């Protein structure tokens, strides 16, 4: 079975499961997307790994695993989403130590959070993508207006978990750039990463 390489396209709040998020993986050499429902903690961990400028004051669980692996010369080579059963994705982490390769079963959300920290590629099998891959309109300004139900799928992964009254960074428009950086640092220190991501979006908008 041939492998298909995937990248992370975005994270959005799940419209079907309370407290859950939809991780959107994108086919590298194609247009299909692979949506995977993940928990809030994993969504936060993945978003932090994607947002390089946000450094938690204490290591998250996946950061701790990375430090542990580094200490004992364990390298994550790749992650493979290898099975789909009743809507549940199963993944394997391919590791290497002393030139010996090991395969470890993992939840897909954990596997992807670790892949990001090791800069390891993410793959799935073509038959899984054929079965579960879909086409999403990531830019509602293009294409059919009837695709508006996909508008909440984010084109930037670092924005997630925002309540309905804070879905845009407009609440920080009145702050100066320096005040925003101060608020960002404060949010990170308090481990409020959802707020930090929102402030980061406003800073990026100002500096772009």
């Amino acid at each position: 079975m041939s492998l298909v390489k995937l990248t992370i396209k975005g994270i959005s709040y799940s419209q079907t499961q309370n407290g859950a998020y939809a991780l959107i993986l994108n086919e590298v050499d194609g247009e299909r997307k692979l949506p995977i429902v993940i928990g809030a903690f994993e969504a936060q961990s993945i978003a932090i790994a994607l947002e390089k400028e946000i450094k938690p004051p204490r290591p998250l669980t996946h950061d701790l695993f990375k430090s542990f692996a580094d200490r004992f010369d364990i390298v994550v080579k790749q992650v493979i989403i290898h099975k789909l059963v009743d809507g549940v994705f199963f993944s394997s982490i391919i590791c290497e130590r002393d030139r010996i390769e090991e395969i470890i079963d993992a939840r897909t959300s954990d596997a992807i959070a670790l892949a990001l920290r090791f800069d390891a590629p993410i793959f799935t099998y073509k038959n899984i993508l054929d079965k579960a891959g879909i086409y999403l309109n990531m830019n509602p300004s293009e294409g059919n207006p009837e695709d508006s139900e996909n508008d909440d799928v984010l084109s930037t992964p670092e924005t997630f978990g925002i309540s309905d009254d804070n879905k845009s960074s407009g609440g920080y428009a009145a702050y100066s750039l320096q005040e925003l950086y101060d608020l960002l640092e404060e949010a990170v220190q308090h481990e409020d990463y959802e707020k930090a991501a929102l402030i980061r979006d406003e800073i990026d908008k100002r500096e772009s």
Side-chain angles (χ1 to χ4, degrees):
M1 290 184 290
S2 59
L3 288 173
V4 179
K5 190 174 183 179
L6 303 170
T7 58
I8 296 176
K9 183 67 176 178
I11 301 174
S12 71
Y13 190 77
S14 173
Q15 302 299 314
T16 59
Q17 298 187 33
N18 290 333
Y21 294 80
L23 171 66
I24 311 299
L25 301 176
N26 190 72
E27 181 183 14
V28 170
D29 295 320
E31 298 296 328
R32 287 175 295 182
K33 276 69 178 180
L34 190 66
I36 299 174
V37 176
I38 63 176
F41 170 77
E42 290 79 11
Q44 182 185 77
S45 182
I46 290 170
I48 288 171
L50 290 166
E51 178 52 80
K52 304 298 184 182
E53 296 185 35
I54 296 180
K55 300 296 183 185
R58 297 179 298 168
L60 301 180
T61 301
H62 298 109
D63 297 319
L64 179 60
F65 185 96
K66 174 66 163 59
S67 298
F68 183 90
D70 288 343
R71 183 66 60 89
F72 292 96
D73 296 322
I74 301 170
V75 178
V76 171
K77 305 292 290 185
Q78 62 183 6
V79 162
I80 300 177
I81 304 171
H82 64 84
K83 186 167 64 173
L84 173 61
V85 179
D86 296 329
V88 178
F89 292 90
F90 294 77
S91 293
S92 296
I93 301 173
I94 314 301
C95 303
E96 184 178 278
R97 180 173 184 266
D98 295 334
R99 298 184 180 180
I100 299 174
E101 188 174 276
E102 299 285 350
I103 301 176
I104 301 174
D105 288 333
R107 294 189 306 169
T108 297
S109 54
D110 290 328
I112 291 174
L114 290 173
L116 286 170
R117 286 162 170 81
F118 284 88
D119 293 321
I122 303 166
F123 296 95
T124 192
Y125 289 110
K126 183 179 181 298
N127 65 323
I128 292 178
L129 197 58
D130 289 341
K131 181 178 179 181
I134 60 175
Y135 291 88
L136 291 180
N137 178 20
M138 302 300 288
N139 186 353
S141 64
E142 300 176 359
N144 192 335
E146 294 179 358
D147 292 335
S148 59
E149 70 267 22
N150 294 322
D151 289 357
D152 287 336
V153 179
L154 305 175
S155 58
T156 51
E158 55 268 26
T159 305
F160 67 97
I162 303 168
S163 60
D164 290 340
D165 56 348
N166 283 316
K167 282 188 176 177
S168 71
S169 56
Y172 296 100
Y175 291 89
S176 69
L177 195 58
Q178 183 57 54
E179 288 173 331
L180 288 173
Y181 274 109
D182 292 341
L183 287 171
L184 176 62
E185 182 177 355
E186 180 181 349
V188 172
Q189 290 300 317
H190 286 87
E191 301 184 28
D192 188 348
Y193 302 116
E194 296 177 4
K195 181 178 178 181
L198 194 62
I199 297 170
R200 179 71 257 171
D201 286 348
E202 177 66 23
I203 293 173
D204 287 343
K205 186 173 69 175
R206 301 272 189 94
E207 295 183 337
S208 61

